[in-house]
Amino acid sequence: MNEIKEYINPDKLPPEMPVPPSTIPFKYTKTLSKNDTHALGFRELDPLKWLQWLVKSSRATGQLTSEQNIETNAAFASKVLKVLSKNWSGISQESKTRIVELLQDRTIIPTKQGMKIPSETYFSSVKLFADLPVIVSLPNVKEDFLTTLGVRKTLEIGVVFDRLMSGSAQLWSHVDLIKYLASVWDDVPTRDRERLKNTPVCPAEPMEGKPPQQRYRISDLYEPNDSLRCLGLPILQWPGDYSVRSKEAKLLSTLGLRDAPNYIDLVNIISTAGQSTNSSLQEFALRYFIENSQSKGYNSVRIASVRTPPFLPVQGSEGKLSTPGDCFTNERVAVLGFDLLRSDLHTYAVLFGVQTDPPVDRCIQRLTKKPPKTKRQAREMFGYMTSRIGAITNQHIEVLGSASIVPITDLKEAGDNEGGRVRYLPPRMCFLGDGGELSSMFDFVDFGTEAELFLLRCGSKQEPTISDIALLLTQQPAKSLHVWGQDRYLEVLIKVANAWSSLKTNKSLVERMQRAPFLLATKVESLDEASVLEDTDERSGLKKWHLAKASDVVIVDEIGNYNLFKTHVLAAPQQDETLERMYEQLGVPGLSSLVEERQKIVGLEPGNRPDQRTALKLQSIIRERARLFLYDYPKESLHPNRDNKWLEKNLTVQTVRSIVIKTSLKGTDIKCVQEKTATLRQESNRTWTICITEKYNMAQVSRLLARLLLVRPKPRDSMVLTEFLRSELSGLQEAGINVERILRQKEKEARVAQEMHKSQLEQEQRARDEREALQRQMEAQGDRNTGPDIDVDVHDSMPGDFPGARDGKEHEADNTQEPASLFGGFKKMLGLDSGRKPQSAMPDDERLAYDHDDGPQAPPKKPRQLPDDDLQGPAMTSQQLYDLTQQAVQSTRPHTSSVLKSEPAMHRVEEMHTTCDAKPGMNVVYTGEASNLRVFLDQEVIQGSNATAENFMASNQEGLEYFASVLHDCAAIYKLPRDSMHIFYDHESRTKAFNKSNSIFFNYRMFESDHLAMVKRGNKDLPVRVWATTTAHELAHNIEGDHNVRFQNVL
């Protein structure tokens, strides 16, 4: 009893069936209820466990009798299958799967041919063959149960192939097979369907060159159709009429029977027929393609993605075929070597996928690989490319412009292929038209109006630009000189020089010009060395023209030195100043820079000096006549800031006993020693002395004076200046020079200057009186109110201070430590974070005056000490400071007007109790620009010195550019818009900067005197720090206009 685990449920398992030893016989439990058997610890015998025991026992010896063997006894197997079928719906899916796995490979199905495994048996409805293993003796066994085990409802396709379709004893045709399959298709397993599709089972109609009994896969055959027969396709052999609507036709279509050739097959038919000269088949196939293009989907094929053999007939070439992508309908493409579709097919070009024109990339490729050989071909090719100009992109232009496609030849028409050699040039190197006198130096072509449009698009020009001419000179200087001659070559050089402002932006061209030997220069040589290119001068010998590099030429900037070394140097032409400037820009040095001069002067020593009356007289003449000489002289030829006033301050004349000058040419052994009657000595950065002998030569003095006053003096300048110095005023008057007007102007300037000085003194006196009166009034008011003393603060203040905030020792403790703020980073950047010093210890560059004019100063009174709260105002958070900074920066704006005029003002700052706030008056006008910063000039400067905006800008351009670079750095620190910063210039005020309606102005005069020399030496650190602090001060005025407590907090 210990081995008993299950009991038999007679509703599921007949009691007479054998059961496992672990199952209690039914006779012992038939009177017990289900609850009683469970109470005894038994469980119901599961059908799966029972079947597993039967299968295992059927192959074991001694456990079951032969009548109880499920694999050999049909009657017992039928009983077992009946029990399983009866309980099948109540068995779990997992158990069903295990039962199927257990039985599918065992001979448990009784058939007419004995016991078979389920997959080899058929239901009784399958009657194709008499000897099929059809199931028997299985009454009351459910069909779906048997189907699950693998019993077949249809004939296994392999059986059909093996038994019906092989050998000569065929009892069934492929037509019978198709009809049978059509009737049971829904029950045919998927595996058999796939095998049927991939197995050759059907014959084709007899075809030439094919075995009569050859069988094909159904997908390799076509429906019985006359059109398809004419195309030579394999047609399914089908006796009688073939109806496309029948069940058999639908099955055949499902199995892959084709109703038309696909695109590739049809193209292959056309191609094969064309290559074999079967014109009838070729034409029929082409018509079939056209007529069935839409219905069979040929027009939906993406031609570009399909590789096909050539199949389209080409115009003018019998038997030649082309692909849709290689032939076109535009007859003009033939000139580039493309095929044309046969003309009668042009109407159907879209159906075949033939384009009107080839892609422009292919056209360019053909053109660059096979450029035109004759003028006619060039006219046709370039004319066609003009019609495609809308599709030519900038990338194409880069290729075409540099490709050698333009034929240069003396042949005039196609066919004239003898007597000349063709060379090719890129379009960018060609010019259009006949060229005139330039045709001998440049390549000009004329292919007609239409072709010219294409060449213009590719970079050809109607005529050479000045850049082209300059490039030609650097590439072929000798040829150019030979063809044009010296005079014409010089004219061309002058044209190039006139366009230098635009040429210098082309860096590669400038580099070529600096290296190439194309510059025209002269050298004085002896008669026997002269060549055909020569100028004869009886006094100076023969002048020979040479072509040289910039490094081998010199500019004649001093005629005296040139006369000494003219046989040893190549001199730049002196006919045109513009040409000289271009030579200089190319790196040609001035002759004076190559000359070393040593002076030996006797009579400079105090004890050895001769009588100076001659020198004093000459000095007086120079000062008087220099004014006449410079009055109408072109300003651009003058040295900046060197006028008659400069001469009066910085030039003296001294008489000496003798002068000997030893002159040598650098890098050579060439030397020359001369006795002179005049020479020039530089005493300091600004002062000069002309040394003369008692019997001096006025011409030599004139050359020295011209060297001082003029940027590049010419011989004629010295001659004119000599006449001015030698002639009496009456003689100059007779020569047409308005001597009296010029001298009156001098007297007027002196008188105006004296009056201005007197007026200034009076204004300063009035200002002092007013301040003293105001101070007395405020002191009296303070005495009555027992309030603090009032002090008018007019001294220079530190950046960020407001008047009165730094006087007295009482505030030194407050200044020793700065509160942390948003501007800590700015202070570090500006170098101002090392602690504040008393004003007396600050360098002059950091003692700044800002928004007020400082007049004569009275000694400041010691202010009364104020509480800290009164000085510092309410505390501000970092975010508030940051917001104020952003507000100050964003509120700046450019001053767009050409005039700025404001009256001076002064008012008391009430909350400070110690100071008045002064604001300067301004009257400036727009003058020009320096590095995109607008420059303004004080009206008094213009009226007082008779200057003009142009003169001011010309003479101060370099300094203004330096100042602008410093201001640009300041703008970058605060992220200021650069157009909100402006430059102004005045003569006398101490206003370093001012803020007018949120536009900031900076005084160039103060920068010039304090920082210009420093910046020129490359040291911008201190200037940027100082002017950045000035910028911060003026930015603070965007928030608060007065110098009060709030202004100090903002700053």
Side-chain angles (χ1 to χ4, degrees), residues 96-285:
K96 288 181 179 180
T97 301
R98 295 183 65 184
I99 289 173
V100 172
E101 292 174 352
L102 190 64
L103 298 179
Q104 63 184 0
D105 294 328
R106 302 182 185 277
T107 57
I108 50 113
I109 305 296
T111 70
K112 292 193 300 181
Q113 295 183 359
M115 301 298 286
K116 300 288 183 179
I117 62 176
S119 60
E120 295 177 350
T121 62
Y122 298 88
F123 284 103
S124 58
S125 58
V126 180
K127 301 176 181 180
L128 292 179
F129 304 105
D131 57 350
L132 290 176
V134 178
I135 61 175
V136 295
S137 303
L138 292 177
N140 300 321
V141 178
K142 297 179 181 179
E143 184 176 298
D144 60 344
F145 169 64
L146 294 174
T147 300
T148 303
L149 292 178
V151 179
R152 300 178 60 87
K153 292 182 179 181
T154 60
L155 191 62
E156 203 272 323
I157 200 67
V159 177
V160 175
F161 296 154
D162 294 340
R163 300 182 61 180
L164 297 181
M165 309 305 295
S166 63
S168 58
Q170 293 186 5
L171 302 176
W172 215 29
S173 69
H174 66 284
V175 177
D176 296 326
L177 174 63
I178 296 302
K179 289 182 178 181
Y180 163 72
L181 292 174
S183 63
V184 296
W185 185 250
D186 293 339
D187 297 323
V188 175
T190 301
R191 183 176 60 183
D192 287 352
R193 294 185 182 189
E194 293 301 321
R195 186 175 179 184
L196 184 61
K197 289 180 180 180
N198 297 318
T199 304
V201 295
C202 295
E205 294 180 354
M207 297 177 62
E208 183 178 354
K210 299 292 183 181
Q213 298 303 321
Q214 181 179 349
R215 296 185 181 276
Y216 299 85
R217 292 181 304 173
I218 296 176
S219 58
D220 294 334
L221 298 175
Y222 293 83
E223 293 179 353
N225 181 288
D226 290 340
S227 296
L228 300 178
R229 290 188 181 95
C230 292
L231 292 175
L233 296 170
I235 305 299
L236 173 68
Q237 190 180 83
W238 192 266
D241 295 334
Y242 180 84
S243 174
V244 296
R245 297 183 179 179
S246 64
K247 292 172 57 178
E248 292 79 6
K250 293 178 180 179
L251 174 61
L252 288 169
S253 178
T254 301
L255 295 174
L257 186 66
R258 303 167 70 177
D259 63 345
N262 60 30
Y263 178 84
I264 295 297
D265 292 338
L266 184 55
V267 164
N268 287 330
I269 293 172
I270 300 173
S271 176
T272 303
Q275 294 174 3
S276 62
T277 66
N278 188 347
S279 59
S280 60
L281 176 58
Q282 180 187 25
E283 296 302 322
F284 181 84

Side-chain angles (χ1 to χ4, degrees), residues 540-680:
S540 59
L542 293 175
K543 185 185 295 182
K544 184 177 179 180
W545 292 93
H546 297 264
L547 291 174
K549 296 183 293 186
S551 58
D552 297 332
V553 184
V554 297
I555 296 174
V556 180
D557 56 356
E558 210 288 312
I559 193 64
N561 289 332
Y562 175 66
N563 289 332
L564 293 176
F565 303 108
K566 61 185 176 183
T567 59
H568 303 284
V569 297
L570 290 170
Q574 302 178 53
Q575 290 90 331
D576 188 88
E577 293 185 3
T578 304
L579 183 61
E580 281 192 359
R581 283 195 291 271
M582 183 186 77
Y583 274 48
E584 183 179 11
Q585 291 289 322
L586 291 175
V588 177
L591 179 58
S592 60
S593 67
L594 303 178
V595 172
E596 291 182 342
E597 192 175 89
R598 294 184 179 180
Q599 301 174 343
K600 183 177 180 182
I601 304 175
V602 178
L604 284 176
E605 303 82 2
N608 192 29
R609 291 179 183 175
D611 189 353
Q612 297 297 314
R613 283 178 293 181
T614 302
L616 294 175
K617 181 179 179 181
L618 178 59
Q619 180 169 319
S620 175
I621 293 175
I622 289 175
R623 291 180 177 179
E624 180 181 74
R625 307 301 166 84
R627 174 182 292 272
L628 302 178
F629 174 74
L630 296 175
Y631 185 77
D632 288 325
Y633 210 87
K635 303 301 182 183
E636 62 274 9
S637 300
L638 302 178
H639 265 300
N641 299 324
R642 291 189 183 179
D643 52 11
N644 54 294
K645 292 183 178 180
W646 180 87
L647 279 177
E648 293 175 0
K649 294 180 179 179
N650 299 287
L651 179 65
T652 60
V653 181
Q654 182 176 344
T655 305
V656 297
R657 298 190 180 279
S658 65
I659 301 172
V660 177
I661 306 296
K662 184 179 180 180
T663 310
S664 61
L665 195 60
K666 292 181 181 178
T668 68
D669 295 331
I670 304 169
K671 300 178 181 178
C672 182
V673 179
Q674 291 179 303
E675 289 189 4
K676 294 280 189 176
T677 63
T679 189
L680 186 64

Side-chain angles (χ1 to χ4, degrees), residues 747-764:
E747 296 173 358
K748 179 180 178 181
E749 290 177 2
R751 187 171 58 255
V752 169
Q754 184 177 4
E755 292 176 354
M756 290 180 62
H757 180 66
K758 181 179 179 182
S759 175
Q760 181 180 359
L761 293 177
E762 293 175 352
Q763 290 178 3
E764 292 174 355

